C-alpha cells in the first residue's frame, strides 16, 4: 500500500470515498474500520453504496492499495471479504477504559494508525476527570492495554497517570487559545488585586511625604517669622 499521510486518525477515514483501483468505479464510502484490539491493528474496512446506503462492501486492510486525501483505492479480489470475518472485531469506539486498579477513567473515542500496516500508534480516550486529570482527550500507548472485552478495556493505571493530552487539530488549538485567554485573564485579575492591595501602602507613603513637606514648610515659615520679629525689635 502507498499512503500520503504518515499517520491518520480513524475518524478521518470515515465517509472517505472508496474507489476500485483497477476499474476506477466508485465502491462507496467508508462507514466502519475493523480494529483488532489484541493485535493493535486495523484489519479491514466496510463501505456502503446504493440507495440509502443499502449495499455494503467489506475489504481487508491488505486490499487497501492507497489512502489519499480524497479517497481510498482498493484492490478488489475475485470475491469480496465476507463480513463475518470482520464484524466480530467491530470498531471498539465507545468502549469504557478502566485501569488495572479497578478505576474507570473514561472511554475510547478514536485511535491513530500508521496507514501502511494499519498498526495503532496511539489510542485516544476521553477523560472523565479521574484523580484530578482534567477533562479532555488523552493519548494511550498500545502497550498500556492489558486486557480487552467487548464493552471495556483494562489499561495500566501508571500509563493513565502519565498520559499526555492530545493537542492536534483545529478544535484542540481553539481549546489551547481559550486556555491561554483564561490564564491571561486570571493573571490580569491577580495583577489588579495586587495593585489594590498596594494602594493603602502607596497612600500611606504619599501621606508621610506630604506630612514631612508640611513640617518643613512650617519650620521655614516659623524661621521667617522669627527673623522678621527680630528686625522689628531693632
Amino acid at each position: 500500500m502507498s499512503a500520503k499521510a504518515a499517520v491518520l486518525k480513524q475518524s478521518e477515514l470515515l465517509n472517505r470515498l472508496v474507489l476500485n483501483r483497477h476499474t476506477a468505479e466508485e465502491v462507496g464510502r467508508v462507514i466502519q474500520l475493523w480494529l483488532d484490539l489484541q493485535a493493535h491493528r486495523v484489519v479491514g474496512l466496510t463501505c456502503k453504496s446504493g440507495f440509502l446506503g443499502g449495499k455494503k462492501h467489506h475489504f481487508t486492510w491488505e486490499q487497501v492499495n492507497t489512502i489519499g486525501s480524497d479517497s481510498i483505492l482498493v484492490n478488489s479480489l475475485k470475491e469480496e471479504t465476507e463480513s463475518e470475518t470482520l464484524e466480530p472485531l467491530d470498531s471498539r469506539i465507545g468502549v469504557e477504559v478502566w485501569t488495572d486498579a479497578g478505576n474507570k477513567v473514561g472511554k475510547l473515542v478514536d485511535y491513530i494508525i500508521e496507514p501502511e500496516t494499519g498498526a495503532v500508534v496511539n489510542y485516544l480516550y476521553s477523560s472523565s476527570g479521574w484523580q484530578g486529570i482534567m477533562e479532555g482527550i488523552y493519548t494511550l500507548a498500545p502497550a498500556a492495554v492489558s486486557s480487552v472485552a467487548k464493552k471495556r478495556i483494562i489499561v495500566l493505571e501508571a500509563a493513565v497517570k502519565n498520559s499526555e493530552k492530545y493537542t492536534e487539530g483545529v478544535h484542540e488549538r481553539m481549546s489551547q487559545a481559550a486556555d491561554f485567554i483564561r490564564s491571561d485573564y486570571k493573571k490580569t485579575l491577580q495583577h489588579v488585586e495586587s495593585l489594590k492591595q498596594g494602594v493603602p501602602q502607596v497612600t500611606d507613603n504619599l501621606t508621610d511625604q506630604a506630612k514631612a513637606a508640611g513640617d518643613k514648610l512650617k519650620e521655614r515659615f516659623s524661621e521667617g517669622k522669627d527673623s522678621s520679629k527680630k528686625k522689628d525689635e531693632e
Side-chain angles (χ1 to χ4, degrees), residues 183-195:
S183 175
D184 188 64
Y185 177 69
K186 185 177 180 181
K187 289 179 180 178
T188 301
L189 289 179
Q190 291 174 346
H191 182 60
V192 170
E193 287 299 321
S194 67
L195 287 177

Side-chain angles (χ1 to χ4, degrees), residues 124-137:
L124 302 179
Y125 73 93
S126 61
S127 170
S128 57
W130 169 76
Q131 286 198 355
I133 297 178
M134 296 179 63
E135 293 185 1
I137 307 300

Side-chain angles (χ1 to χ4, degrees), residues 182-214:
R182 284 193 292 269
S183 175
D184 188 64
Y185 177 69
K186 185 177 180 181
K187 289 179 180 178
T188 301
L189 289 179
Q190 291 174 346
H191 182 60
V192 170
E193 287 299 321
S194 67
L195 287 177
K196 285 181 179 179
Q197 293 174 4
V199 166
Q201 184 178 356
V202 171
T203 304
D204 291 341
N205 290 337
L206 291 175
T207 302
D208 292 341
Q209 291 176 9
K211 186 175 181 299

Side-chain angles (χ1 to χ4, degrees), residues 8 37 44 54 66-67 81 120 127 159 202 229 232:
L8 287 167
L37 255 172
T66 304
I67 297 180
T81 303
V120 175
S127 170
V202 171
K229 187 176 181 181
D232 292 339

Side-chain angles (χ1 to χ4, degrees), residues 161-200:
K161 289 181 177 179
N162 293 299
S163 59
E164 296 182 355
K165 195 168 186 179
Y166 181 69
T167 56
E168 195 247 345
V170 175
H171 296 294
E172 290 78 10
R173 287 196 291 272
M174 289 176 64
S175 177
Q176 287 179 337
D179 289 340
F180 174 79
I181 292 171
R182 284 193 292 269
S183 175
D184 188 64
Y185 177 69
K186 185 177 180 181
K187 289 179 180 178
T188 301
L189 289 179
Q190 291 174 346
H191 182 60
V192 170
E193 287 299 321
S194 67
L195 287 177
K196 285 181 179 179
Q197 293 174 4
V199 166

